[in-house]
Amino acid sequence: MSASTIEEQVLAAFLQVAPDVDVARLKRDVPFRDQFDFDSMDTLNFAIGLNKQFGIEVPETQYRELASLAKATAFVTAALNQ
Amino acid sequence: MPSLGPDMEAGTLVQWRIKPGDAVKRGDIVALVETDKGIIDVEIFSDGVVDRLLVPEGTHVAVGTVLAQLNGGTAVAGEAAESTPPGAPQPAPAMKPAPTIGVAPAAESHRRKVSPAARARARELGVDLDQLTGTGMGQAITIDDVLRAAQTPKPVATEPARDMRQVIARAMSRSKREIPHYYLSVTCSFAKARAFLDRYNEAAPIESRLLPAAVLLKAVAQAAKALPEFNGFYKGDAFEPANDVHLGVAIAMRGGRLVAPAILNADQKALPVLMTELRDLALRVRAGHMKSSELSMPTITVTSFAEEEVDSVIPVIYPPQVAIVGIGSVRERPAAADGQVRAELTVPISLAADHRVTDGRAGTRFLSAINKALQNPEQL
């Protein structure tokens, strides 16, 4: 899978959780919760979505790796390469 | 058109899910309605066979407008908590007197009774007779009915966010004007609950993980069941306790909108079930797609600031409920015990309640019940 495809899929999973976010204004490097409301419920739903999409585990201690689109993509990429 | 909130005035019928001749039973989704809260699934609260649909798709109508007629009952599609015992949807018995939402019994002939003069006036003024409930004998439509309808401004679609802010503004103003609030709070240790959650989540698959919210909401729901004077509605001049605990959860939608849909029978649901429903609710609220029963039925509400910077919240009761619980931030705070001060995970929990129904002693018992549940999380 190419890197952009992974990020696209991560973004798709994110948009399932936060369909009301304006994608055009989403900054990939800025933590979600600094751009709009994004709490632990959203994080959990996002982790579940990524688990469903990619089959990867996201331990609770690693939730902070999903803080932004860029970080989440890196996390998924690393998990898939293991 | 059901009332889906204390100040809802109108909604748009977006799509019918039934057609004449369909058999419906309680709980079936019969239509999609759009309000300022998004698209709502409207459930029907009685059984019957659809006789006819009165409102075409795409029409924006006032709350109370008859949407459809059924054979086999006097109920109307979208009949909400108004005419059923609070908090408990029940099938309408066949000979129930007409509820406050306008109902035309199916036995009546389909042709509205309208005098020729009224009919002519309606034509002149462009009034749709099918939208009217007549006030004359046998529900006949009179000239006055027509004139009144002609003068009623049709609700105009405005920005949803502004609509909702106005709705919230009206509800909160009414609350402060009419409800004599009293306030109590207690800071609870959250250490045991946190340890319980960590143990549980370690062994659970990701989709079954619990958040602190599940524990907190269950504790409140159980307290509401045990102390019914905090669970119900104040209507007219009296308190009506509800049979069930339908816990309203305040959820902020992005764009400044706030809704508080209910988790039905929250006191009876196991923690994993509560958690799944809460997650699902959060997703549907964000997507603007809720169910009418969730919006019309909360018997008590919780508003949570568990992850915010503030310590605690002094909440405002949603009329006609009689209590609201505020969850403050879960964080480490200095705690004193046995002459020593140490850091402990704590959460301030506050209660605002209607002083016409309860007083501080009862409120203290209520908060104590919540605290006790949080210190025994495995029993939740």
Side-chain angles (χ1 to χ4, degrees), chain B residues 238-256:
Chain B
F239 172 60
E240 300 167 8
N243 295 325
D244 308 297
V245 176
H246 301 317
L247 193 62
V249 182
I251 297 179
M253 300 167 79
R254 293 185 191 95

Side-chain angles (χ1 to χ4, degrees), chain A residues 2 6 23 33 36 66-67 73 82:
Chain A
S2 70
I6 293 183
V23 185
R33 50 178 88 218
F36 38 77
L66 304 182
T73 303
Q82 272 163 13

Side-chain angles (χ1 to χ4, degrees), chain B residues 18 24 44 46-52 68-73 75-77 106:
Chain B
I18 51 171
V24 293
I44 193 165
S46 53
D47 303 338
V49 172
V50 179
D51 184 39
R52 64 181 199 138
Q69 288 174 1
L70 297 190
N71 281 322
V76 116

Side-chain angles (χ1 to χ4, degrees), chain B residues 87-240:
Chain B
Q90 287 179 7
M95 282 297 125
K96 200 162 91 157
T100 52
I101 303 176
V103 165
E108 215 178 65
S109 107
H110 295 175
R111 188 149 175 77
R112 311 304 301 278
K113 292 191 195 120
V114 193
S115 72
R119 195 182 291 282
R121 210 75 178 86
R123 212 171 18 241
E124 260 175 72
L125 296 171
V127 170
D128 182 358
L129 291 171
D130 282 342
Q131 301 292 338
L132 301 189
T133 310
T135 59
M137 274 188 45
Q139 291 194 320
I141 294 175
T142 65
I143 294 183
D144 278 334
D145 293 329
V146 170
L147 291 176
R148 225 176 310 119
Q151 279 166 12
T152 310
K154 290 209 184 357
V156 172
T158 54
E159 293 168 36
R162 200 176 71 198
D163 276 347
M164 178 168 280
R165 258 190 281 279
Q166 287 175 350
V167 166
I168 295 170
R170 279 196 295 272
M172 294 294 95
S173 300
R174 176 183 158 199
S175 177
K176 285 285 163 168
R177 218 170 34 237
E178 295 176 7
I179 305 180
H181 285 56
Y182 72 91
Y183 308 93
L184 295 171
S185 73
V186 62
T187 298
C188 305
S189 169
F190 201 69
K192 286 194 180 149
R194 183 71 255 172
F196 166 79
L197 288 167
D198 289 341
R199 276 194 311 272
Y200 186 100
N201 286 341
E202 231 178 322
I206 190 172
E207 63 272 8
S208 303
R209 280 185 202 157
L210 302 178
L211 286 175
V215 164
L216 291 160
L217 293 181
K218 183 82 186 275
V220 173
Q222 284 187 343
K225 186 66 182 175
L227 293 151
E229 61 267 34
F230 294 93
N231 186 68
F233 308 106
Y234 198 89
K235 284 185 174 164
D237 272 319
F239 172 60
E240 300 167 8

Side-chain angles (χ1 to χ4, degrees), chain A residues 16-21 33 36-42 44-45 47-48 51-52 56-60 63, chain B residues 194 197-198 201-202 206-213 252-254 275 278-280 282-283 285-287 307:
Chain A
Q16 296 262 347
V17 171
D20 48 343
V21 164
R33 50 178 88 218
F36 38 77
D37 288 334
F38 198 78
D39 62 16
S40 63
M41 178 75 72
D42 299 312
L44 176 58
N45 277 333
I48 291 173
N51 171 261
K52 272 210 190 76
I56 56 169
E57 282 300 320
V58 188
E60 283 192 291
Y63 282 167
Chain B
R194 183 71 255 172
L197 288 167
D198 289 341
N201 286 341
E202 231 178 322
I206 190 172
E207 63 272 8
S208 303
R209 280 185 202 157
L210 302 178
L211 286 175
M253 300 167 79
R254 293 185 191 95
M275 188 64 211
L278 191 60
R279 278 202 301 106
D280 173 66
L283 286 170
V285 164
R286 300 274 202 241
E307 295 172 42

